[in-house]
Amino acid sequence: MTSCWWRWRRGCPWRPATRSPGPGSPGRAGPCGPRPTAAARAQISYFYLVKSLTSACSNMYSISRLHHTTSATCCCSKTWSGEKYTDPFTLGRRYLKGLYEDIRKELLICPTELKEMSEYYFDGRGKAFRPVIVVLMARACNIHHNNSRDVQASQRAIALIAEMIHTASLVHDDVIDDASSRRGKHTVNKIWGEKKAVLAGDFILSVASIALARIGNTTVISILTQVIEDLVRGEFLQLGSKENENERFAHYLEKTFKKTASLIANSCKAVSVLGCPDPVVHEIAYQYGKNVGIAFQLIDDVLDFTSSSDQMGKPTSADLKLGLATGPVLFACQQFPEMNAMIMRRFSLPGDVDRARQYVLQSDGVQQTTYLAQRYCHEAIREISKLRPSPERDALIQLSETVLTRDK
């Protein structure tokens, strides 16, 4: 994991001119003197490495500037395609007309009450963030491979399946968290009860699995079933905590990947497999989805402290109330060590939640988490810029800015 951060730093165009070399850079000394020994480097805290990297970002270029400075490293010589640019959601929805109607058709084969519960979140009010990414990636990969301007039916099916898996996970999460509101309305578990909500989530997953099997591509089936395993493992990670701060931050990022980013990463990879035989393109698609997905969740964790309940459509400080230490809390803990005890008891004592929230807002935890999200988005841009220029590729670049600037 540590070497990954150093590779990221080496690829960053806005890094300081004078810096310490990363592991594997022979014979160079940083601004503070000779390189530490291998034994000393092994003792570097993962958390402090993340902290130092995010601290170095305080004067970074905006993500919009990165659009113009990030150079492609594959078959194209510039980042932008030169074609007329369209808002990513407007462009993506061209290929998603009837998305929720098609999902509801998949859910028709059930009793009336189960049908009503299963359709409850498929109301078309959201931005369809994941399906939009999937279809944009599908077209970007198709154009890169053979200049095809179409989205295959199987690729569009992946967008539907991704939205169904995501929604099923929301239904299950609301049961686990005993949540009362989601997207500005009552949750399934509050209306129909926990037992029925669990069954509704299971049913949505089973319908998604049937749709996946119909695609008939064993590689794609294997890729997307990994998502379901990751969701379960992510929930188990969320139920645990680490006393060691180095392990704690790694634990947090692993949980973030499994619960949020895995679905986006593997869905992007699945459509690339369907549209292009090149494994290099599959890895580009996966890495883009992974980095955007982690950034998305990091910003979500920031908004839990900075947005109002009306903006979010759900109560704020929800993670603290669930006993969860997210990025802003972990960074704040470095300035307020007394938070360690609260983290270990999962903010269970009276006043813990309010006190922890105040510590976060008084610290640079929100800022540091935002900088970390910016780094993930920068890496996503670097990856997707390797594809041949197209409006869809540019829209995926722009989508990274949307992740960073969203307020709900």
Side-chain angles (χ1 to χ4, degrees):
M1 178 65 78
T2 302
S3 63
C4 174
W5 284 104
W6 281 109
R7 286 198 300 273
W8 196 351
R9 193 174 186 179
R10 288 201 300 271
C12 182
W14 40 263
R15 63 182 179 273
T18 304
R19 59 182 173 83
S20 297
S25 302
R28 296 182 61 186
C32 298
R35 295 175 62 208
T37 65
R41 290 200 307 274
Q43 295 174 4
I44 294 175
S45 164
Y46 175 76
F47 179 89
Y48 284 109
L49 180 56
V50 174
K51 177 83 170 176
S52 68
L53 287 173
T54 54
S55 297
C57 296
S58 56
N59 295 316
M60 71 179 286
Y61 293 115
S62 71
I63 204 76
S64 296
R65 177 78 176 273
L66 288 174
H67 293 173
H68 301 283
T69 59
T70 305
S71 60
T73 58
C74 191
C75 65
C76 52
S77 59
K78 58 180 180 177
T79 297
W80 287 87
S81 66
E83 298 184 47
K84 186 177 179 181
Y85 178 70
T86 307
D87 171 74
F89 290 96
T90 302
L91 183 58
R93 288 195 191 104
R94 292 180 186 174
Y95 318 110
L96 292 172
K97 291 178 181 177
L99 170 75
Y100 292 107
E101 290 82 354
D102 290 344
I103 290 175
R104 286 194 288 270
K105 287 176 184 176
E106 296 283 349
L107 299 170
L108 277 175
I109 52 173
C110 56
T112 303
E113 187 179 30
L114 182 55
K115 177 177 179 293
E116 186 179 357
M117 293 167 62
S118 302
E119 291 181 349
Y120 185 65
Y121 287 143
F122 296 115
D123 54 13
R125 295 181 184 178
K127 276 195 168 184
F129 178 75
R130 289 155 189 83
V132 165
I133 288 182
V134 170
V135 294
L136 289 176
M137 182 62 74
R139 261 184 67 95
C141 291
N142 294 353
I143 291 169
H144 177 85
H145 173 52
N146 59 9
N147 208 30
S148 171
R149 300 283 165 170
D150 297 324
V151 173
Q152 300 173 21
S154 58
Q155 290 175 317
R156 186 179 182 277
I158 297 296
L160 272 68
I161 292 164
E163 186 69 356
M164 284 192 279
I165 292 174
H166 170 61
T167 302
S169 74
L170 296 184
V171 175
H172 285 155
D173 281 355
D174 288 343
V175 173
I176 293 169
D177 300 341
D178 193 27
S180 58
S181 63
R182 165 81 65 180
R183 296 175 179 172
K185 60 184 184 180
H186 291 304
T187 55
V188 173
N189 49 293
K190 286 301 176 186
I191 298 174
W192 287 280
E194 290 186 355
K195 292 181 180 179
K196 289 183 177 180
V198 170
L199 295 174
D202 290 346
F203 178 73
I204 296 169
L205 275 179
S206 69
V207 172
S209 299
I210 293 169
L212 179 59
R214 281 203 304 266
I215 292 175
N217 185 305
T218 55
T219 301
V220 167
I221 292 170
S222 177
I223 290 169
L224 282 181
T225 50
Q226 180 64 48
V227 172
I228 299 173
E229 178 184 333
D230 284 344
L231 284 169
V232 174
R233 290 183 181 275
E235 280 294 347
F236 270 89
L237 285 169
Q238 186 164 286
L239 293 173
S241 58
K242 298 289 184 181
E243 188 165 359
N244 178 279
E245 69 177 29
N246 184 39
E247 293 179 355
R248 191 184 290 159
F249 208 90
H251 181 95
Y252 164 65
L253 287 180
E254 184 182 3
K255 182 270 296 183
T256 298
F257 168 74
K258 290 188 182 300
K259 283 203 64 180
T260 304
S262 174
L263 174 60
I264 301 173
N266 284 295
S267 298
C268 286
K269 183 177 181 179
V271 293
S272 75
V273 168
L274 290 168
C276 176
D278 187 354
V280 173
V281 174
H282 305 164
E283 185 63 15
I284 290 169
Y286 178 86
Q287 290 297 330
Y288 173 86
K290 170 188 170 183
N291 283 287
V292 164
I294 293 176
F296 184 93
Q297 186 58 51
L298 290 171
I299 295 299
D300 205 62
D301 294 342
V302 164
L303 292 174
D304 198 42
F305 290 95
T306 61
S307 274
S308 67
S309 298
D310 289 341
Q311 283 178 303
M312 293 291 285
K314 59 183 179 181
T316 54
S317 298
D319 292 328
L320 288 175
K321 293 170 186 174
L322 292 170
L324 304 179
T326 57
V329 174
L330 296 178
F331 280 118
C333 189
Q334 297 306 297
Q335 293 171 257
F336 299 99
E338 52 268 43
M339 294 181 71
N340 273 302
M342 287 190 279
I343 290 172
M344 291 312 299
R345 63 176 178 255
R346 299 178 73 88
F347 313 103
S348 58
L349 293 184
D352 275 358
V353 169
D354 290 337
R355 193 156 59 250
R357 179 178 175 83
Q358 287 307 310
Y359 282 139
V360 169
L361 295 178
Q362 291 169 25
S363 73
D364 65 356
V366 164
Q367 184 184 39
Q368 294 288 353
T369 307
T370 303
Y371 292 157
L372 186 56
Q374 288 174 329
R375 292 197 69 91
Y376 276 106
C377 280
H378 175 80
E379 181 68 5
I381 290 170
R382 191 181 72 85
E383 288 292 337
I384 200 65
S385 295
K386 296 174 184 178
L387 295 185
R388 179 178 298 166
S390 67
E392 286 75 16
R393 189 201 66 169
D394 295 348
L396 288 167
I397 292 173
Q398 178 64 23
L399 203 59
S400 300
E401 181 171 285
T402 302
V403 167
L404 293 174
T405 58
R406 69 192 183 94
D407 59 4
K408 60 181 180 179

